């Protein structure tokens, strides 16, 4: 069976036009090996304890065949009841030691696996948090979610079971092989009969399996990305009637993923039987060669019996190493995808740079999520300190993209976005957030108390400051009505906040963070028009003296702004005050009339002439 159509592990999922592509890389084999060596060194003591415990268990296990071999020979040559009882006692003691130390070894191995897995998870999450926001946005949700869920689950299986089982099996195999060689060296050579078929089958399998597993996981990630992007862009899909096309593309992604699933299943269906058949050869060889040597008087019956038992004992650890190594390939592929986040280069920053003032300026900015397809085309905009600017325009015009560049989330493809003469993209993210903050309609309520969620913006804030921030965004009333007020646990598994409440929580964090420039990307979109209008007016006192750039779909925000910037097809079509733009009867005037006519805007202030009959 030939492998399916090639699928690069980094291949992007099928996307809607203009949507970002998954760009998170997959680590190569050398990076995975370096990390494995690092983890072995980091947890050296745990590995040594597991190896020591299992060595004692394996040594106790090799006593049994020796005792049984001498008992069989004693039955043939004659023995006494006391010798049989002594042999049984030795066998029983060896069995008890084996059971006790095997249990201890497995328990310590399981604990070691949990420590390693926890270490991997913490390092992965820490790196994901450090990734530049623009990288995460361009990567899409599907690929990152797959890595944080499916890949972590698969890796946990490998770390918790495969690594400890392989360690135990290797120690057992080496000790049993040593006991076999000491008992009857010629009979140990019978295992050479199994080496060629095992090597051939295993080499054939492992030349194909690692890359096949990576491509299988890449295919699964592709399916996740396609589904997630379709759901996220549900309104766009519906508006442009892209449903059938999205279904067809998702079906294609599923078909490619299944084809790789079938291919890996085919590899296992060839390799497993080949290895199992190879195990028969050393048993048959030991029995045949041992019988001939016993007839010639070269070996004793006790040696032949012990050699057969050791040969049978050796099958289990060898088989365990091979089988669990296969599971380790799945874990290795997942580990390569997890380590891929470490391959993302950190953005270049200028640690010594510091904006001279709060003046924000965009100069001939061009930007696109995909090479050769710009979303913004030569945008220039000056934002004076304390200005109130509204950015409006039709859906897909590039408003949110412009807002993200002004907030320093993306580096322009060309041109510059500067604050106080310093490129925002050159500043470390934490320093950017001290000057400018972005609040979108997307927000997250973390598991913890309401107090903990608020203090994410300012850890040293006291309760009085927290209540002031909640009051500033009209959230104090419902916060006081919670079962334990600020001590109420919210988030998953806790008190459920409604979407408007969660959005008010995000705005309260903004008040606490206290940056001098704010970019509000439809930050009140989840509130009803009356509540949103009231909230915006309540925020006015808090935002006094700060620069506010509001990206709004409600033109009431534009009506109240000092300057309105109309973005259309990635360009600034108009800029001016609300009254000037309405009087100009251009693109903004058309948007304003449309907003009034559909009933969402305010009634016209001047009476309209009655319609003639």
């Amino acid at each position: 069976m030939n492998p399916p159509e090639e699928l690069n592990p980094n291949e992007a999922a099928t996307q809607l036009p203009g949507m970002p592509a998954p760009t998170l890389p997959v680590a190569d084999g050398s990076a995975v090996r370096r990390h494995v060596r690092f983890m072995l060194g980091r947890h050296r003591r745990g590995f040594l304890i597991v190896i020591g415990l299992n060595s004692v268990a394996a040594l106790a296990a090799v006593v049994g065949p020796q005792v049984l071999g001498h008992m069989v020979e004693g039955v043939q040559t004659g023995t006494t009841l006391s010798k049989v009882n002594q042999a049984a006692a030795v066998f029983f003691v060896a069995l008890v030691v084996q059971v006790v130390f095997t249990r201890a070894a497995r328990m310590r191995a399981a604990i070691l696996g949990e420590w390693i897995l926890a270490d991997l998870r913490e390092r992965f999450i820490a790196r994901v948090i450090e990734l530049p926001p623009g990288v995460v946005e361009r990567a899409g949700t599907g690929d990152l979610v797959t890595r944080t869920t499916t890949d972590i689950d698969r890796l946990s299986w490998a770390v918790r079971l495969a690594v400890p089982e392989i360690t135990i099996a290797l120690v057992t195999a080496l000790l049993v092989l040593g006991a076999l060689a000491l008992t009857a060296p010629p009979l140990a050579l019978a295992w050479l009969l199994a080496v060629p078929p095992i090597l051939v089958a295993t080499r054939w399998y492992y030349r194909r399996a690692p890359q096949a597993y990576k491509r299988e996981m890449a295919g699964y990630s592709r399916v996740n990305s396609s589904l997630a992007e379709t759901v996220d862009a549900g309104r766009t899909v519906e508006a442009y009637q892209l449903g059938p096309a999205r279904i067809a593309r998702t079906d294609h992604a599923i078909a490619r993923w299944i084809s790789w699933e079938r291919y890996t299943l085919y590899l296992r269906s060839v390799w497993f039987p080949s290895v199992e058949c190879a195990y028969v050869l050393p048993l048959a060889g030991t029995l045949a060669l041992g019988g001939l040597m016993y007839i010639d008087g070269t070996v004793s019956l006790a040696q032949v019996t012990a050699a057969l038992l050791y040969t049978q004992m050796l099958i289990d650890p060898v088989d365990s190493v091979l089988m669990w190594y296969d599971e380790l390939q799945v874990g290795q592929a997942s580990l390569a995808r997890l380590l891929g986040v470490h391959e993302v280069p950190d953005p270049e920053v200028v640690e010594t740079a510091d904006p001279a003032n709060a003046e924000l300026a965009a100069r001939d900015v061009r930007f696109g999520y995909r090479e050769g397809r710009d979303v913004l085309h030569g945008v220039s905009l000056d934002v004076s300190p304390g200005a109130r600017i509204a950015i409006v325009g039709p859906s897909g015009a590039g408003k949110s993209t412009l807002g993200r560049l002004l907030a320093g989330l993306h580096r322009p493809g060309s041109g510059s976005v500067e604050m106080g003469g310093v490129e925002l993209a050159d500043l470390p993210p934490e320093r950017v957030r001290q000057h400018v903050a972005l609040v979108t309609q997307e927000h997250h309520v973390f598991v913890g108390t309401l107090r903990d969620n608020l203090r994410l913006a300012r850890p040293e804030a006291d309760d009085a400051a927290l209540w002031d921030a909640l009051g500033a965004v009209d959230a104090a009333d419902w916060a006081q009505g919670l079962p334990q007020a600020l001590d109420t646990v919210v988030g998953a598994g806790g008190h459920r906040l409604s979407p408007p409440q969660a959005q008010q929580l995000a705005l309260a964090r903004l008040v606490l963070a206290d940056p001098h420039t704010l970019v509000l990307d439809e930050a009140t979109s989840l509130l009803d028009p009356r509540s949103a209008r009231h909230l915006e007016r309540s925020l006015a006192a808090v935002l006094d003296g700060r620069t506010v750039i509001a990206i709004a779909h409600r033109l009431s925000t534009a009506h109240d702004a000092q300057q309105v910037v109309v973005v259309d097809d990635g360009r600034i079509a108009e800029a001016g005050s609300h009254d000037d733009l309405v009087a100009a009867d251009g693109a903004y005037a058309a948007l304003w009339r449309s907003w009034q006519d559909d009933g969402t805007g305010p009634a016209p202030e001047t009476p309209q002439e009655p319609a003639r009959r």
Side-chain angles (χ1 to χ4, degrees), residues 61-113:
V62 301
V63 172
Q66 292 288 343
V67 173
L68 291 176
H70 287 291
M71 287 182 65
V72 170
E73 188 174 39
V75 169
Q76 182 188 32
T77 60
T79 186
T80 63
L81 181 60
S82 62
K83 291 184 178 180
V84 172
N85 290 336
Q86 290 176 2
V90 172
F91 186 87
F92 177 76
V93 171
L95 182 61
V96 170
V97 172
Q98 179 187 359
V99 170
V100 170
F101 278 84
T102 298
R103 182 181 182 279
R106 293 186 181 278
M107 181 177 295
R108 295 297 304 182
I111 294 174
L112 175 63

Side-chain angles (χ1 to χ4, degrees), residues 389-471:
I389 295 178
I391 300 178
V392 301
S395 177
K399 304 186 301 297
S400 295
T401 300
L402 177 57
R404 280 160 169 73
L405 264 72
L406 294 175
L409 263 68
H410 299 304
R411 178 183 291 273
S414 64
S416 64
V417 177
E418 298 181 351
M419 175 168 285
V422 176
E423 282 264 13
L424 281 181
D426 289 339
L427 292 173
E430 60 274 11
R431 191 176 299 179
V432 173
R433 298 285 78 80
Q434 293 174 1
H435 298 282
V436 57
L438 172 69
V439 178
T440 71
Q441 56 188 323
E442 300 173 0
H443 47 265
H444 186 74
V445 179
F446 293 89
V447 177
T449 65
L450 182 62
R451 180 185 289 104
D452 293 336
N453 271 267
L454 290 168
R455 282 182 173 170
L456 290 172
R458 199 203 311 170
E460 72 279 5
D462 58 17
D463 285 1
L466 302 184
W467 284 116
D468 287 343
L470 290 170

